[in-house]
Amino acid sequence: MKLESLKEQVTAIIELSTQEARVKMQEICDLLQDQVSYYDWVGFYMAHETEPTLHLWSQAGEPTDHTIIPFGKGICGQVAVSNKNFVVDDVHAQDNYIACSIHVKSEVVIPLFKNGKNIGQIDIDSNTAQAFTTADERFLEWVNEQVGTIL
C-alpha cells in the first residue's frame, strides 16, 4: 500500500540531523500532500505552551487563514480537548466545522503526543468525501510518533 511505502521516506526526513524539527515537519507535509492523491491539505498544528490555542507550524496545500485555532473550536480544536482521533466523512454535516476551503469534503485529525501529553496534531483535508480509512489513521498515528521523537 502506498501509505506503508511512505514510511521509509518519513523516517529519512526524521533522521536528518542537520534540520530543525519545524523544517522536518514541513518536509513531511510536503511529502504526504504530494504522494497521497486524496491528501489535498496537510498541516501540523501545535499547542501553545500557556494558552488554549493551536498554532499552524507547517502546511502543504492551499494557504489557510486558520493559523490559530482555539481549543474546542472546529475539528482540530475538538481533538485538542478530546485527545482522540477524529475522522469526518462529510465536513458539511459537522456543526463545529471551520471551513478552510469550499472544496474540502472530509477531514482527519490525529493528536500528537509527547510524554503522554497532547502537544499538537496532524490535520489532513481531502476534496473527496469519505476519503479516510483506518489505514490512514494508523499511518498518521505512526507519523506523529516519529515527529514526537524530534520535539
Side-chain angles (χ1 to χ4, degrees), residues 72-93:
K73 184 171 182 180
I75 308 306
C76 291
Q78 289 178 71
V79 169
V81 173
S82 73
N83 299 320
K84 296 181 182 185
N85 297 356
F86 200 147
V87 178
V88 182
D89 289 332
D90 177 4
V91 296
H92 302 293

Side-chain angles (χ1 to χ4, degrees), residues 17 39 56-57 73 99 109 118-119 129 148-149:
S17 60
Y39 284 16
L56 184 63
W57 268 30
K73 184 171 182 180
V109 180
N118 183 348
I119 61 166
T149 66

Side-chain angles (χ1 to χ4, degrees), residues 45-70:
Y45 283 96
M46 302 305 291
H48 190 275
E49 290 181 23
T50 58
E51 298 176 18
T53 55
L54 296 164
H55 296 256
L56 184 63
W57 268 30
S58 54
Q59 65 95 30
E62 291 183 29
T64 180
D65 293 333
H66 305 288
T67 57
I68 300 174
I69 299 174

Side-chain angles (χ1 to χ4, degrees), residues 101-144:
S101 164
I102 61 169
H103 304 293
V104 175
K105 293 190 173 42
S106 58
E107 181 175 14
V108 61
V109 180
I110 308 293
L112 194 163
F113 295 97
K114 177 81 174 181
N115 299 323
K117 180 181 179 187
N118 183 348
I119 61 166
Q121 55 201 228
I122 190 167
D123 176 19
I124 315 261
D125 291 342
S126 180
N127 298 343
T128 304
Q130 300 178 354
F132 305 106
T133 67
T134 303
D136 292 287
E137 285 188 80
R138 298 297 86 81
F139 172 69
L140 295 170
E141 288 168 351
W142 178 85
V143 168
N144 279 355

Side-chain angles (χ1 to χ4, degrees), residues 3 9 11 14 16-17 20 29 38 42 44 47-48 52 55 58 77 85 90 96 99 114-115 136 147:
L3 295 176
Q9 293 173 66
T11 300
I14 294 294
L16 288 171
S17 60
E20 295 178 8
C29 288
Y38 54 97
V42 179
F44 282 100
H48 190 275
H55 296 256
S58 54
N85 297 356
D90 177 4
N96 196 13
K114 177 81 174 181
N115 299 323
D136 292 287
V147 171

